[in-house]
Amino acid sequence: MIDFRSDTVTKPTDEMRTAMMNAIVGDDVLQEDPTVNELEKKAAEILGKEAALFVPSGTFGNQLAILTHTKRGDEIIVKDDTHVVQYEVGASAVIAGVQLRTVQVERSYMTWNDISKYIRRAYDIHQPETGMVELQNSLGNGDVMPINEMKLVYENLNALNIPVHLDGARIFNAAEYLKVDAKEIAQYTDSVMFCLSKGLGAPVGSVLAGTNDFIFKARKNRKLMGGGMRQVGILAAAGIIAIEKMTKRLHIDHDNAKRIAAEFSKYDLFNIDPQDIKTNIFFLKFNTTDKNIPDKFYKSLINNGILVYPPRNGEIRFVLHYDIKTCEIEKFFSKLPEIVNNLN
Ligand code: TLP
């Protein structure tokens, strides 16, 4: 099986397993786990933030940020196709008691101009107040929000005292594409969450970073949400390797994504330009009016040992990661003509 479903499927490296076995641990609820403390310090440094907090998942980190930044009844401005809206089970209504004000724009990200139209203050007793704006980088389709656009959003919101949270699940992929350090991106946010377990290979965990004051409050809210973990240095040990080593190899996944897109572009069936590929994720579009083709292609991929998720709006997502090796990609290319020719 070649697994293109997600970079969440990667397994910890041998080095991670050894580090996990040998990790020095303590009770992290008491802040006595040296390995967690080290991970949090390194994560804060790499993002240019004062402090950071280890959390069980990306969803947890995003929801913790929302709970910590907002009050009940607030509104969060967020693009309609982001993870918080689509894949977090409506958690922000359940946990923080806020509503999501979803914005639809053609671009993969919202600009300040888009956001500014949606801001609401407390002047009118009928209206909820904007409590936070959420950005994502890299984006769900693998695109990257330019830093100057983030700067514009951040500076304007900062002037209004509205916090910006970044879902940076794959911030290191965005940084790799932009050829900058992750802190260059994170500087235009009040808080940022990134994942250790997607793309970077750690088995579990994400990190939320921000000011000392924000992380102090978030630590208490993490406990409230049931995310205070004990000897969790076992997991943080893998996270340290994820940050220090695995972030350095993401260009390989980006190159592989471009190679695969280039291969698809040789077929009339597909509508894809390899030049558009920025990171490790892309959606494959089809040049056909036959609505059954994406589904047939999907089924044929599965029958040939190539795992992808079912088509979404007639497009199939491909995600590259370190568990997909070059020789497997060659194998995929050799099967592709037969798969494409036998669709009808
Ligand atoms: N994304 C997963 C699925 O949940 C869709 C994937 O396969 O891509 N933010 C972003 C941008 C994400 O892509 C994800 C996971 C999360 C947050 C949530 O992380 P976890 O799965 O750790 O809760």
Side-chain angles (χ1 to χ4, degrees):
M1 285 285 188
I2 309 177
D3 198 339
F4 287 113
R5 285 174 305 169
S6 181
D7 46 8
T8 58
V9 301
T10 54
K11 308 207 172 55
T13 62
D14 289 345
E15 188 185 0
M16 283 177 177
R17 288 172 192 265
T18 307
M20 291 167 79
M21 193 170 71
N22 296 323
I24 302 168
V25 296
D27 189 333
D28 183 50
V29 172
L30 307 177
Q31 292 180 246
E32 286 174 6
D33 188 307
T35 312
V36 174
N37 293 344
E38 187 187 337
L39 170 75
E40 291 176 345
K41 189 161 173 276
K42 279 188 199 301
E45 267 164 25
I46 210 164
L47 294 173
K49 297 291 184 200
E50 286 175 1
L53 191 67
F54 187 55
V55 293
S57 68
T59 301
F60 196 110
N62 282 336
Q63 295 304 326
L64 178 59
I66 293 171
L67 179 66
T68 307
H69 281 304
T70 63
K71 59 181 189 317
R72 288 174 77 79
D74 272 357
E75 187 165 75
I76 293 176
I77 300 174
V78 57
K79 190 163 179 275
D80 65 336
D81 59 358
T82 46
H83 199 273
V84 163
V85 179
Q86 297 291 343
Y87 304 109
E88 298 190 10
V89 210
S92 40
V94 178
I95 299 170
V98 296
Q99 74 180 16
L100 301 179
R101 187 93 185 273
T102 55
V103 177
Q104 285 189 0
V105 282
E106 283 297 314
R107 242 173 292 97
S108 356
Y109 54 87
M110 305 180 292
T111 61
W112 166 243
N113 195 28
D114 303 322
I115 293 166
S116 59
K117 296 176 197 140
Y118 287 83
I119 289 171
R120 305 209 261 186
R121 310 317 306 262
Y123 316 129
D124 184 332
I125 58 157
H126 302 91
Q127 294 192 354
E129 198 174 356
T130 305
M132 195 190 102
V133 170
E134 203 219 45
L135 303 177
Q136 196 176 303
N137 215 3
S138 61
L139 293 133
N141 61 1
D143 199 359
V144 173
M145 181 170 179
I147 295 188
N148 61 333
E149 296 289 358
M150 287 187 68
K151 180 172 191 273
L152 206 59
V153 170
Y154 177 72
E155 287 177 351
N156 280 291
L157 290 169
N158 203 22
L160 295 170
N161 242 338
I162 298 173
V164 178
H165 170 67
L166 178 71
D167 177 343
R170 298 182 182 84
I171 192 174
F172 296 104
N173 293 88
E176 168 58 38
Y177 171 73
L178 295 167
K179 301 282 175 237
V180 298
D181 288 334
K183 64 171 73 149
E184 301 287 319
I185 300 173
Q187 69 180 315
Y188 299 121
T189 68
D190 293 284
S191 60
V192 50
M193 180 285 292
F194 73 90
C195 293
L196 300 160
S197 65
K198 43 196 76 77
L200 306 183
V204 181
S206 296
V207 174
L208 179 64
T211 62
N212 282 328
D213 182 49
F214 174 78
I215 292 299
F216 179 80
K217 291 181 187 142
R219 189 178 290 281
K220 186 162 182 179
N221 283 335
R222 182 183 69 172
K223 193 81 185 76
L224 179 151
M225 286 168 63
M229 299 175 284
R230 302 294 177 176
Q231 286 70 26
V232 74
I234 297 251
L235 298 177
I240 292 170
I241 295 168
I243 292 179
E244 289 189 331
K245 294 218 169 143
M246 303 298 274
T247 52
K248 311 278 190 297
R249 58 154 305 287
L250 293 173
H251 62 97
I252 300 172
D253 301 336
H254 296 191
D255 289 347
N256 284 339
K258 275 199 207 86
R259 272 184 66 209
I260 293 174
E263 191 68 19
F264 281 136
S265 72
K266 293 179 188 165
Y267 296 80
D268 291 339
L269 178 66
F270 305 117
N271 172 7
I272 188 157
D273 183 349
Q275 309 275 11
D276 293 340
I277 310 301
K278 293 188 176 156
T279 61
N280 65 324
I281 300 180
F282 66 86
F283 279 83
L284 182 63
K285 297 187 186 65
F286 294 80
N287 273 327
T288 173
T289 46
D290 182 346
K291 290 209 168 66
N292 296 318
I293 288 288
D295 215 45
K296 281 187 185 164
F297 184 66
Y298 158 70
K299 286 185 181 130
S300 185
L301 287 176
I302 300 291
N303 290 338
N304 280 281
I306 295 149
L307 278 180
V308 288
Y309 284 131
R312 231 186 278 156
N313 303 321
E315 298 177 12
I316 296 183
R317 184 173 88 148
F318 283 79
V319 185
L320 278 296
H321 50 77
Y322 88 94
D323 268 354
I324 296 180
K325 308 287 180 265
T326 310
C327 59
E328 292 176 309
I329 293 174
E330 300 301 336
K331 207 162 89 190
F332 172 51
F333 288 170
S334 69
K335 286 181 177 180
L336 201 49
E338 202 191 317
I339 297 176
V340 172
N341 291 332
N342 290 326
L343 280 185
N344 291 313

